[in-house]
Amino acid sequence: MKALEGIKILDFTHVQSGPTCTQLLAWFGADVIKVERPGVGDATRKQLVDVPGADSLYFTMLNHNKRSIALNTKNEVGKEVLTKLIKECDVLVENFAPGALDRMGFGWETIQRLNPTMIMASVKGFGPGKFEDCKVYENVAQCAGGSASTTGFNDDVPLVTGAQIGDSGTGLHLALGICVALIQRQTTGKGQKILAPMQDGVLNLCRVKLRDQQRLDKGPLTEYSQHGKGIPFGDSTPRAGNDSGGGQPGRILKCKGWENDPNAYTYFITQAAVWPRICDLIGKPEWKEDPEFATPPARLPRLDLIFDTIEQWTMTKTKFEVMDECNPLDIPVGPILSMKELAEDEGLKKTGTIVEVDHPERGKYLSVGCPIKLSDSPVEVVRSPLLGEHTSEILTEMLGYTGDELNRIQESGAVG
Ligand code: CAO
């Protein structure tokens, strides 16, 4: 028994944001039916191809545990099949460009009329307003949601991050919206419309930066390195480099081997509670009592000196030795782990966060499994479907088409 067993999801998603959401729902046990254009499919199937002729990793890593029906929803027979699917399913998830579903003839009013209990969940780039008609990809959302203006160093250009907070982040937001709408439906008996705009999702994840924007009105952000360097603040939250976003100053520091290894670094947090232990560890016991270093406010203008001194110590250790020495002392540190190191991490493999999946076209590959662990709803990662792999079984077993009716649909060109 899985948490979402019995829930049928009509999955009109493509690229990354929507598929992230429906993959999670599939992992929690929902029957996710991915609707794709016959002969074409989700554009990512053929993007960044590494094995000629096979579905790309981009596609396979975002579409596990789903079924695929190849259906032309702009063709009359295709619309007939889609109408049946809408009546049959609990949730429709989509991340088309604004207006695409209306142009297809399946806007919210139509869906509600066909199935009043259906939940319709959408990712769009922007919510209602002047940008609502824009197409949006990951980095546009990172820029428009406040992430890029606050990422990077204050003397350099804005930066986008490697974490796909616009796409996968919004997919997560949407999945939560769907789960709570399913709970609300148990009381109301009605479906509802859910919108997760990517700009809003990114801004939600940048909440602490809006916090700092308002603190800035009251004076300089003293925990930012630029304060210690004497660089004046402007009128908006600046880029904070590798400063920690909270009240405990932190930095990325070099470790042994940094000259040749781009990831021989550690994150080091000078948490106030363990300051005396940090002083002993780095050979500066006198800083424990020195009024210039003993308290957090006294340390703020001296963070460069403090972290330079800590770095003299971390440079004598590998990033893992830093962890080994700091963890028993409760000093929060974190090694900068490369993708190679994560892919080889036995602990992550054991918990199912890194999984090996076998695929008929491409063979074995690694993927990120479900990062949310439910004790009563275990996840087995199943390979992504080939385009239209489940068309026949969905038409017959789920929609009940047989005989002449089935032949008519199959011969119409609406399915593949
Ligand atoms: N049968 C027939 N037609 C289909 C179909 C099917 N099964 N599935 C999709 N289509 C059609 C759509 O109806 C649409 O047609 P119209 O433009 O004529 O209405 C067309 O395919 C293309 O859809 P699209 O506009 O969504 O796709 P795109 O490649 O042009 O744009 C994207 C992609 C991501 C920019 C856009 O979908 C978007 O802005 N989505 C919302 C925001 C979002 O999710 N962005 C993140 C994507 S991940 O980085």
Side-chain angles (χ1 to χ4, degrees), residues 12 14-19 35-38 41 43-44 47 58 62 69-75 82 94-104 122-126 133-139 141 164 166-168 170 196 198 414:
F12 259 121
H14 63 157
V15 201
Q16 188 183 159
S17 62
V35 183
E36 298 180 84
R37 238 180 310 181
T44 60
Q47 274 175 19
Y58 197 2
L62 284 159
I69 177 170
L71 180 69
N72 183 346
T73 55
K74 285 186 172 164
N75 156 308
L82 178 58
E94 62 95 18
N95 68 311
F96 288 131
L101 216 51
D102 292 303
R103 288 193 289 278
M104 210 185 269
S122 304
V123 170
K124 294 286 167 263
F126 293 93
D133 291 330
C134 297
K135 284 186 175 180
V136 168
Y137 280 105
E138 170 69 45
N139 288 347
Q164 305 285 284
D167 280 340
S168 290
T170 308
M198 295 168 77

Side-chain angles (χ1 to χ4, degrees), residues 39-70:
V40 182
D42 186 324
T44 60
R45 284 188 186 268
K46 298 294 165 247
Q47 274 175 19
L48 312 178
V49 168
D50 59 324
V51 177
D55 283 333
S56 70
L57 285 168
Y58 197 2
F59 177 83
T60 53
M61 290 177 72
L62 284 159
N63 289 285
H64 293 108
N65 297 63
K66 303 180 185 178
R67 298 200 280 169
S68 165
I69 177 170

Side-chain angles (χ1 to χ4, degrees), residues 32-225:
V32 175
I33 296 156
K34 188 167 171 105
V35 183
E36 298 180 84
R37 238 180 310 181
V40 182
D42 186 324
T44 60
R45 284 188 186 268
K46 298 294 165 247
Q47 274 175 19
L48 312 178
V49 168
D50 59 324
V51 177
D55 283 333
S56 70
L57 285 168
Y58 197 2
F59 177 83
T60 53
M61 290 177 72
L62 284 159
N63 289 285
H64 293 108
N65 297 63
K66 303 180 185 178
R67 298 200 280 169
S68 165
I69 177 170
L71 180 69
N72 183 346
T73 55
K74 285 186 172 164
N75 156 308
E76 278 317 306
V77 177
K79 283 182 198 285
E80 198 184 308
V81 175
L82 178 58
T83 300
K84 250 189 149 175
L85 276 167
I86 289 171
K87 288 182 177 167
E88 193 63 33
C89 290
D90 299 280
V91 186
L92 184 153
V93 192
E94 62 95 18
N95 68 311
F96 288 131
L101 216 51
D102 292 303
R103 288 193 289 278
M104 210 185 269
F106 290 90
W108 173 228
E109 285 71 29
T110 309
I111 287 169
Q112 261 183 315
R113 185 169 44 74
L114 293 172
N115 180 354
T117 64
M118 176 161 260
I119 292 159
M120 178 177 143
S122 304
V123 170
K124 294 286 167 263
F126 293 93
K130 60 182 170 177
F131 300 127
E132 66 186 313
D133 291 330
C134 297
K135 284 186 175 180
V136 168
Y137 280 105
E138 170 69 45
N139 288 347
V140 176
Q142 287 197 25
C143 294
S147 177
S149 72
T150 54
T151 303
F153 288 89
N154 63 4
D155 56 355
D156 213 332
V157 296
L159 277 188
V160 294
T161 76
Q164 305 285 284
I165 57 176
D167 280 340
S168 290
T170 308
L172 273 163
H173 283 92
L174 192 69
L176 177 62
I178 291 169
C179 291
V180 297
L182 283 167
I183 294 171
Q184 193 173 7
R185 192 177 72 165
Q186 289 171 358
T187 319
T188 63
K190 284 192 326 195
Q192 63 181 297
K193 194 175 163 189
I194 306 171
L195 174 65
M198 295 168 77
Q199 181 186 40
D200 305 38
V202 171
L203 180 57
N204 182 36
L205 298 175
C206 292
R207 182 170 292 262
V208 298
K209 301 298 179 181
L210 185 59
R211 174 201 67 194
D212 291 349
Q213 179 63 43
Q214 295 169 85
R215 290 174 57 232
L216 198 52
D217 293 340
K218 312 268 168 16
L221 304 169
T222 52
E223 79 285 9
Y224 278 53
S225 299

